[in-house]
Amino acid sequence: ASDVYKRQKLAEFFISNVFSIKTIIINLIPSGLKTLVIPGLKAVLNNPFEKATRVEAAAAYSAMRSSFGGALKAAAAGFRYEQAILTRDGTRLVEGELAMKGKLAGAWRIFPRILNSSDEFLSKLNYDSFVAGRAAAEAVIEGTEKGLKGKALDDFIKDATTRALDAAMKPTTGDELVSPIINKGLNLGLTGEDLFKYVEREAMRDPQALRKGNDEEALNFVRDVLYKRKFSGENGASKAALAYENFMKNFPSIKLLVGQLFFRTPIRVFEEGIRLTPGIQFLAPGFLKDLQGANGPLRQVRAQAEAMTSLVVASGVMSLYAQGRITGDGAYSDYKQQKNRVDGPQAEPY
């Protein structure tokens, strides 16, 4: 076990050394764009003429705006404690618990900490947006059935949304709020009275930022947006990915040999790329079932959005190619090469 731990520390050392400011920007762009686009796109793909759909989108964007300050505080907590606080998942890049201990180790992990901080910021926005939008849509239907109209209906929707957001962040256990602080304290090498004082001091800093989300559907939505969803092991591809990930956790030194320092996020990015590729997307595991609605309405909307996006991209490329505004990869074909030899000064290669 000690040998595995040493290899984990070595892998963490190298992982912390491969990132830069450019990595942080690249990490933010796709997830940030998805955060902004998803509520509106979801409304378009559902029935935008239904009031429930419009209210859901409006509530989602309103929740984003309202939770912006809380998201900044969550980002600060994520940077300070180096953990995924909202989801309580293992760190995305290290793919597990932190191995290197002490203040110097925390300084060495500066870029992974910034990446984790940006993830916490987007996690909070997406989580609140999802919960508020769903609650608002359900409240519209319920309020309409009760015969509410105008201001009475608006107040009913607002009250339902507020209660849903509070319930989605309500602590379920007494030590839930302080567990990230305890983990960080142990990582700093603190024990006994020193650890107790550290936990006591940090717990008073910002308790709201330490709350864990307890709505599993919303958490899975967040994981999808940030490419963090765990492998389910439900089909062949997922079983293989899960087995490989577990193997890498047990033998972290293999990461250094093959150059694959982290695994889950690149696979999730690749998976989304396949699902956005025209034609090829139908070979992606689970895509057809998602499109048919077999895995729930949320995943169906996602598949519909991916299918629509791929169709738009393919149509745009075909149109530009037909107009001659774009060309192929620029490589010479046999015909072009022969044409150049005949028409140009280059002699025939006899």
Side-chain angles (χ1 to χ4, degrees):
S2 60
D3 290 339
V4 173
Y5 184 69
K6 290 178 182 178
R7 290 193 291 267
Q8 287 174 340
K9 292 172 68 174
L10 185 62
E12 183 180 308
F13 177 86
F14 282 102
I15 288 172
S16 301
N17 193 43
V18 297
F19 299 113
S20 64
I21 297 296
K22 183 178 179 181
T23 312
I24 298 168
I25 296 173
I26 293 174
N27 179 69
L28 277 170
I29 289 175
S31 296
L33 288 175
K34 287 166 69 176
T35 299
L36 294 174
V37 168
I38 284 176
L41 189 59
K42 184 179 178 182
V44 171
L45 292 174
N46 286 323
N47 188 351
F49 299 104
E50 285 187 354
K51 184 172 183 177
T53 303
R54 298 195 304 272
V55 169
E56 179 179 3
Y61 284 118
S62 178
M64 282 189 196
R65 185 175 66 252
S66 300
S67 65
F68 188 84
L72 290 176
K73 293 180 179 179
F79 179 84
R80 186 179 300 113
Y81 305 118
E82 301 187 68
Q83 294 163 74
I85 294 174
L86 182 72
T87 63
R88 293 296 200 269
D89 294 334
T91 53
R92 174 147 69 116
L93 301 173
V94 179
E95 295 175 348
E97 300 303 322
L98 299 175
M100 296 192 300
K101 294 186 177 183
K103 292 182 178 180
L104 183 60
W108 183 259
R109 291 190 297 264
I110 182 66
F111 283 114
R113 291 175 71 178
I114 296 174
L115 288 169
N116 183 66
S117 177
S118 66
D119 281 352
E120 283 300 300
F121 175 78
L122 293 175
S123 294
K124 178 64 174 174
L125 291 181
N126 280 283
Y127 186 81
D128 286 359
S129 171
F130 182 91
V131 172
R134 184 186 58 193
E138 292 173 353
V140 168
I141 298 172
E142 184 181 350
T144 303
E145 291 176 348
K146 290 181 177 181
L148 300 177
K149 295 180 181 179
K151 187 177 184 301
L153 180 59
D154 291 341
D155 290 342
F156 182 78
I157 295 170
K158 183 178 180 180
D159 181 62
T161 303
T162 301
R163 284 188 283 107
L165 287 170
D166 289 341
M169 298 297 293
K170 187 176 181 180
T172 56
T173 59
D175 61 346
E176 186 177 277
L177 293 178
V178 297
S179 60
I181 303 175
I182 295 173
N183 292 337
K184 178 61 178 177
L186 292 173
N187 181 258
L188 289 172
L190 302 177
T191 57
E193 186 68 20
D194 291 336
L195 178 60
F196 178 80
K197 290 181 179 179
Y198 174 80
V199 172
E200 188 177 40
R201 182 180 70 251
E202 293 295 318
M204 300 302 295
R205 186 190 292 270
D206 190 358
Q208 296 293 318
L210 296 172
R211 293 185 300 172
K212 172 187 177 296
N214 55 42
D215 188 313
E216 196 60 32
E217 185 180 12
L219 290 175
N220 282 331
F221 172 76
V222 168
R223 293 177 181 118
D224 279 337
V225 172
L226 299 180
Y227 308 102
K228 296 170 68 174
R229 184 190 277 264
K230 297 177 181 179
F231 300 113
S232 63
E234 294 177 354
N235 54 52
S238 184
K239 287 179 180 178
L242 184 61
Y244 181 83
E245 185 178 45
N246 290 332
F247 176 78
M248 285 297 189
K249 286 181 179 179
N250 295 328
F251 302 95
S253 57
I254 301 296
K255 294 181 180 182
L256 306 179
L257 295 177
V258 301
Q260 186 72 50
L261 297 180
F262 34 89
F263 178 67
R264 187 187 304 169
T265 298
I267 289 297
R268 289 307 187 195
V269 173
F270 177 76
E271 177 189 28
E272 184 163 286
I274 292 295
R275 290 172 67 101
L276 287 169
T277 304
I280 303 297
Q281 62 197 179
F282 296 105
L283 301 178
F287 181 80
L288 284 176
K289 287 186 177 180
D290 288 348
L291 200 59
Q292 294 165 356
N295 295 324
L298 183 61
R299 296 189 69 83
Q300 184 180 33
V301 169
R302 176 192 173 187
Q304 289 172 341
E306 290 165 340
M308 184 181 71
T309 303
S310 68
L311 181 61
V312 169
V313 171
S315 300
V317 171
M318 295 278 290
S319 176
L320 292 173
Y321 185 79
Q323 296 173 47
R325 296 171 64 182
I326 59 174
T327 60
D329 62 1
Y332 277 116
S333 64
D334 291 339
Y335 169 79
K336 288 181 179 179
Q337 290 176 355
Q338 182 62 28
K339 186 73 173 173
N340 277 342
R341 293 191 189 103
V342 173
D343 296 343
Q346 186 176 358
E348 291 285 343
Y350 297 129

